[in-house]
Amino acid sequence: MRILKCLPMLLLSTTVQAETLRLNVENAEQSRSPDTARDVIDVKLDPKSRKALADFTRTRVGRQIHLSVDGHLLTSPTLQSVIDTGSLRLSAGEEGFGGKTAGEVAKTLNKGGPLTLTDER
C-alpha cells in the first residue's frame, strides 16, 4: 500500500529534463530554396559541433526539437533521422524565423551567436 502512495512522487521525480545544445557555426548564408522559392539559411558547423549534433539527434529521432538563435525560435522540426553532417539547411517555421529575416539570422550566426537546440520548450 505504501508503494502505491509513493508511486506518483516517484514518477514525477523521474521525468526527463530538457537538454540544450549550443552549436558553433563556421559560416551561415541566406539562400533561396529551389524547391519552395523561400528563404533558407545554409549553416556550416565546426567539427566539434558536428559531433555534438550527431550525439544529440541520435536519441531523438521521431521527436520534435527546437532551434533558436539569440533567443528567437527559428523552427521546430520533428527529427526524421540522425543529423551527422557538418551542414544544415534551416527552413522557416510557420511563424518565419522568429520575427527575423533569414539574412538577419545568418548575420547573427556569423558574428558568433550560437545555434541553440532544445528537445523541449
Side-chain angles (χ1 to χ4, degrees):
M1 189 67 144
R2 223 176 210 187
I3 293 173
L4 292 177
K5 287 182 181 178
C6 295
L7 188 59
M9 204 178 311
L10 179 64
L11 291 175
L12 287 175
S13 67
T14 60
T15 57
V16 177
Q17 296 292 320
E19 188 174 343
T20 299
L21 176 64
R22 286 177 176 73
L23 301 172
N24 295 316
V25 174
E26 285 186 357
N27 186 47
E29 293 181 6
Q30 172 188 352
S31 64
R32 190 156 298 264
S33 169
D35 299 326
T36 64
R38 296 180 67 183
D39 285 340
V40 295
I41 305 166
D42 291 319
V43 176
K44 182 176 181 196
L45 301 175
D46 71 11
K48 187 176 176 182
S49 290
R50 176 184 178 175
K51 181 182 179 332
L53 178 62
D55 292 343
F56 183 87
T57 59
R58 189 167 286 113
T59 59
R60 291 168 176 83
V61 173
R63 292 174 47 193
Q64 188 176 38
I65 61 170
H66 311 284
L67 290 88
S68 60
V69 170
D70 201 23
H72 297 280
L73 179 66
L74 303 180
T75 187
S76 296
T78 298
L79 285 174
Q80 301 299 314
S81 62
V82 174
I83 303 171
D84 60 359
T85 64
S87 301
L88 304 171
R89 174 167 276 177
L90 304 178
S91 301
E94 290 181 18
E95 304 295 322
F97 288 109
K100 303 277 185 183
T101 67
E104 290 171 324
V105 173
K107 187 182 232 181
T108 298
L109 290 170
N110 285 325
K111 287 183 178 179
L115 177 61
T116 305
L117 282 72
T118 57
D119 56 1
E120 193 175 291
R121 268 198 202 183

